[in-house]
Amino acid sequence: MKAAMSTPIAPRARLLVVDDDADMLRLLSMRLGAAGYHVTAVGSAEAALAQLAIERPQLVLSDVRLPGRDGLALFDEVRARHPSLPVILLTAHGTIPDAVEATSRGVFTYLTKPYDAKELLEKIAQALALTAPSLPTKHADETWRSDIVSRSNRMADLLAEARMVAQSDASVLLRGDSGTGKEMLARAIHKASARAGKPFVAVNCGAIPEALLESELFGHVKGAFTDAVANHKGLFQAADGGTLLLDEIGDMPPALQVKLLRVLQERAVRPLGSSQSVPVDVRIISATHRDLEAAMAEGQFREDLYYRLNVVTLTLPTLAERREDIPLLANHFLAKLSAKYGKRSSGFAPEALKALTMATWPGNVRQLYNVVEQVCALTTTPLVPLALVQRALRTPSVEVLSFAEARHRFEREYLVDLLKMTDGVVADAARLAQRNRTEFYRLLQKHALTPGLFKSDGAGLPEAPDEGPVADS
């Protein structure tokens, strides 16, 4: 093995290394640490998945042969959870065919053991180069997404993809419920792009009457209609060289969809009342909370326009799907609003913060901001109390069960489902559960379930316990 080292693609990039060989794991950690990487080393796929839930690395380096779930199964899990996270596999000669197949499915590359240290570092640098703009290190330039406050892995993946797509001029369709922050993400993409020095212009296609929207988008010349007393540049011209966000694109009237499609095809706009087209260079980002596929099926949205706009799709999670961000966002908003209102609020009482974290948030981040603004305006104490938060929420909280209660509830529902499926026949239910009838009866007694009640006629006597297993387990 060669011991040559090279400088990593970014300072202290985080790598997750997985190998059940303790000596190999120690050697990899030492070599990669010496090369400037921050290494987290684990000995199994299960431990790797647990670590991924805690902190998202920039790359996963894994052995193929692992106890229990192997490296290929780990890759499938990583790809499902974090599509943009590169994975490199280390493989022995006997598993090369599997590694080659995995590469065709999306593994960045594989290296055979014994690996060459220089080649390993080169491959890691190449993989990180694809995602380097998204590295959330203290040294990386994060000003492009400085307005987006988050520590969730789901948002980290989304921002990684947003940063990558920002480097191109591809049209982007942002999907997500109202209040999830689509316009904020669009601004971040603009800031991360080569167009950052040019205008970012946003227009809500559903908020402007159809009669005015065409003029707002494409402009008009003097005399084009009764109130056109002067030439007016539309938003396409205003955004020339920069980015135009077409928010709520699903609400755009069909007649304007045709004209928008022509502008995108010709890269030129023709103001109302003019016979001349004006060239425009605009990057289009569109956003919607509507189901555009359903709108197309109903003839409300043009298919050709949809494919023009939907080159890359990014979907924002709801606030409930990134619940770990709620305390961070709440305190961020409170600090911001305290300065606005001249308050000395330093944070939330523990019970108040818990109530915020447990709330359902149908209005997502926008609703959270409004709630924090209300409590900030009304609070008279440094710590925002629970009572103010409850007053502002006016929504039921989600129930968070203890592990024991959640397990008990699942077990009971599972048994009920089995008895319903088998018409209350314990032998069949036990066979499906791969348990012997004696053990199955104990479970039924634990949950006070009577099999006879699940028979079609509502009657029936309990079956006698049978010590013999009905299925291998």
Side-chain angles (χ1 to χ4, degrees):
M1 282 183 207
K2 298 179 183 179
M5 294 289 122
S6 62
T7 302
I9 190 69
R12 304 300 291 168
R14 295 194 303 274
L15 310 184
L16 177 60
V17 181
V18 192
D19 201 308
D20 63 327
D21 185 329
D23 292 334
M24 177 63 72
L25 202 59
R26 191 178 303 109
L27 178 61
L28 284 168
S29 298
M30 291 173 58
R31 289 189 182 279
L32 296 174
Y37 294 109
H38 177 83
V39 179
T40 299
V42 296
S44 68
E46 295 299 335
L49 293 172
Q51 182 61 35
L52 278 167
I54 299 170
E55 183 180 46
R56 182 189 187 277
Q58 277 70 62
L59 180 140
V60 176
L61 173 66
S62 175
D63 189 17
V64 171
R65 291 292 175 90
L66 295 170
R69 196 193 308 248
D70 64 16
L72 298 175
L74 173 61
F75 161 70
D76 289 335
E77 284 278 353
V78 171
R79 180 48 49 94
R81 299 183 188 189
H82 310 284
S84 63
L85 182 58
V87 176
I88 294 177
L89 293 179
L90 295 176
T91 178
H93 176 76
T95 55
I96 287 179
D98 290 336
V100 172
E101 179 189 350
T103 304
S104 69
R105 283 160 37 199
V107 167
F108 180 78
T109 191
Y110 69 91
L111 298 173
T112 55
K113 293 181 177 180
Y115 69 90
D116 180 279
K118 182 178 179 180
E119 183 184 10
L120 173 62
L121 290 172
E122 287 174 350
K123 294 298 184 183
I124 290 174
Q126 291 170 14
L128 290 176
L130 298 176
T131 54
S134 67
L135 293 176
T137 67
K138 293 181 180 178
H139 305 282
D141 179 11
E142 291 296 300
T143 56
W144 70 280
R145 44 91 21 120
S146 58
D147 292 331
I148 300 177
V149 178
S150 176
R151 62 186 173 198
S152 80
N153 287 338
R154 188 158 182 174
M155 283 297 292
D157 287 333
L158 177 67
L159 290 169
E161 293 176 359
R163 186 65 187 271
M164 284 190 284
V165 77
Q167 309 309 308
S168 72
D169 242 4
S171 296
V172 182
L173 176 62
L174 303 180
R175 296 177 183 265
D177 292 353
S178 294
T180 49
K182 296 186 287 294
E183 181 172 343
M184 191 172 287
L185 182 60
R187 288 183 183 275
I189 292 172
H190 172 72
K191 288 180 182 179
S193 73
R195 297 175 177 269
K198 298 293 183 178
F200 173 87
V201 178
V203 56
N204 189 318
C205 299
I208 302 174
E210 181 176 355
L212 298 178
L213 185 56
E214 182 175 1
S215 174
E216 280 296 304
L217 289 174
F218 310 132
H220 62 255
V221 298
K222 181 179 178 180
F225 47 86
T226 303
D227 295 327
V229 296
N231 291 344
H232 169 69
K233 283 187 176 181
L235 296 178
F236 266 89
Q237 291 185 65
D240 191 35
T243 303
L244 178 62
L245 169 64
L246 299 173
D247 200 4
E248 300 303 346
I249 188 67
D251 295 331
M252 178 174 280
L256 275 184
Q257 292 179 28
V258 178
K259 296 179 180 180
L260 174 60
L261 180 63
R262 185 179 301 118
V263 169
L264 298 180
Q265 290 171 338
E266 298 176 358
R267 301 185 67 82
V269 296
R270 182 180 298 177
L272 283 171
S274 174
S275 59
Q276 301 294 321
S277 293
V278 180
V280 288
D281 174 23
V282 175
R283 199 259 184 88
I284 298 295
I285 299 179
S286 50
T288 184
H289 71 282
R290 294 188 60 192
D291 184 342
L292 293 186
E293 288 79 4
M296 284 192 296
E298 295 168 2
Q300 297 177 0
F301 199 84
R302 293 184 62 91
E303 185 175 352
D304 45 8
L305 177 59
Y306 172 80
Y307 289 113
R308 278 276 179 180
L309 298 173
N310 186 25
V311 177
V312 178
T313 295
L314 298 177
T315 302
L316 283 89
T318 64
L319 186 56
E321 291 171 327
R322 45 182 289 214
R323 200 169 287 278
E324 64 269 39
D325 282 342
I326 292 175
L328 196 67
L329 285 164
N331 283 302
H332 171 74
F333 293 152
L334 184 64
K336 193 174 178 181
L337 291 163
S338 293
K340 175 182 176 181
Y341 289 112
K343 295 294 183 81
R344 294 184 178 179
S345 302
S346 59
F348 292 87
E351 299 83 2
L353 198 58
K354 182 179 179 181
L356 288 173
T357 306
M358 295 299 103
T360 52
W361 301 116
N364 296 294
V365 180
R366 184 185 298 126
Q367 182 191 4
L368 175 60
Y369 182 89
N370 291 339
V371 165
V372 174
E373 184 169 24
Q374 180 177 329
V375 300
C376 182
L378 295 175
T379 189
T380 57
T381 57
L383 285 180
V384 177
L386 173 62
L388 272 183
V389 168
Q390 290 175 327
R391 174 180 169 182
L393 283 173
R394 292 181 295 179
T395 54
S397 295
V398 296
E399 180 185 13
V400 176
L401 303 174
S402 68
F403 177 79
E405 177 59 28
R407 179 176 176 177
H408 183 86
R409 185 173 296 187
F410 169 80
E411 195 174 83
R412 185 178 191 280
E413 291 174 355
Y414 174 74
L415 294 171
V416 167
D417 287 343
L418 284 179
L419 291 172
K420 286 180 178 178
M421 290 167 57
T422 57
D423 201 28
V425 178
V426 172
D428 292 344
R431 185 174 293 106
L432 289 174
Q434 297 186 21
R435 292 291 181 269
N436 63 51
R437 277 186 286 175
T438 300
E439 180 185 358
F440 199 80
Y441 268 109
R442 291 197 190 101
L443 288 171
L444 295 181
Q445 290 174 353
K446 173 183 173 182
H447 293 279
L449 295 173
T450 304
L453 298 178
F454 292 87
K455 294 186 180 297
S456 299
D457 57 5
L461 297 174
E463 301 173 52
D466 185 348
E467 296 294 339
V470 295
D472 294 330
S473 59

